[in-house]
Amino acid sequence: MTSTQWGGLVAAIAIGVAALALIALHLLPTGLSPLRDPVSRYGITRFRAGYATAALAAGVAGIGSLLAVAALPGSLPTVVLLAVFAAARILIPFFPMDAPEASKTTTGRVHNVLAVLAFGAVIAAMFVAAGMLHDAGFVAAGLVATIGGVVGVVGTLHMLVSRRSPRLAWGFGLGERLIYLAFIEWIAVLGASALTS
């Protein structure tokens, strides 16, 4: 197997683990609202192991993804962005968010920075990678990257509006989950495309 195929295999398996962990969290009786609560809130409940599994697996999927594209022409910006995404995802379970009713802590602030880095990097990676993947013959992965980038931006805007408007605060979690959906789908398609190249 080539490095591209190995990267695709790692990306596909790891993002599958992340997706399964997130699905399990949403099916368990956590008492959290997928529409309102951020995904990170699972990390400060008794279900934190599921959140850590999802976050760490997404980080490993980011590493697999950057290995999958590293040999492609013009891949350096995508590789750097995926490295930032992977590092932020791997670190974030060790810096849990502050509970909504609690005072702000340094750990919570680090969590917020890591979340912004992870989401910003993966959304940017999708946009940056789209043309490169198309030109390299990974047409499906390029198309999904473009769609995922747009969905990620919509999710980000939804989160920002929800944060600023008390009337729309119920939708913060929905916006974040759009970002998750975007990058999970893209990494899954990228992994499968690289594995079969």
Side-chain angles (χ1 to χ4, degrees):
M1 289 177 69
T2 66
S3 61
T4 296
Q5 291 170 323
W6 275 113
L9 179 63
V10 170
I13 292 172
I15 206 64
V17 171
L20 288 174
L22 289 168
I23 290 168
L25 286 172
H26 285 76
L27 294 177
L28 289 168
T30 62
L32 299 181
S33 166
L35 295 178
R36 181 185 67 247
D37 294 309
V39 174
S40 298
R41 194 155 179 193
Y42 293 112
I44 57 172
T45 69
R46 63 190 176 98
F47 301 96
R48 59 185 160 273
Y51 171 73
T53 299
L56 293 170
V60 173
I63 294 170
S65 298
L66 71 86
L67 292 174
V69 302
L72 302 179
S75 65
L76 182 59
T78 304
V79 168
V80 170
L81 290 165
L82 286 171
V84 171
F85 167 75
R89 286 282 90 187
I90 289 169
L91 288 172
I92 205 164
F94 303 102
F95 297 90
M97 69 174 279
D98 293 322
E101 65 279 0
S103 58
K104 303 301 179 190
T105 66
T106 300
T107 299
R109 291 186 186 96
V110 171
H111 175 91
N112 292 339
V113 169
L114 290 171
V116 169
L117 285 173
F119 291 153
V122 78
I123 291 169
M126 287 187 276
F127 281 119
V128 169
M132 173 203 67
L133 289 169
H134 183 274
D135 292 345
F138 295 89
V139 178
L143 176 61
V144 173
T146 300
I147 295 169
V150 172
V151 171
V153 169
V154 170
T156 301
L157 292 174
H158 197 290
M159 288 171 66
L160 292 172
V161 170
S162 298
R163 181 72 60 147
R164 301 240 183 247
S165 172
R167 288 183 306 162
L168 298 174
W170 60 268
F172 183 86
L174 175 62
E176 187 183 33
R177 282 160 178 80
L178 286 175
I179 300 172
Y180 272 88
L181 178 64
F183 78 72
I184 287 171
E185 193 165 358
W186 176 54
I187 291 176
V189 172
L190 174 60
S193 298
L195 184 57
T196 58
S197 65

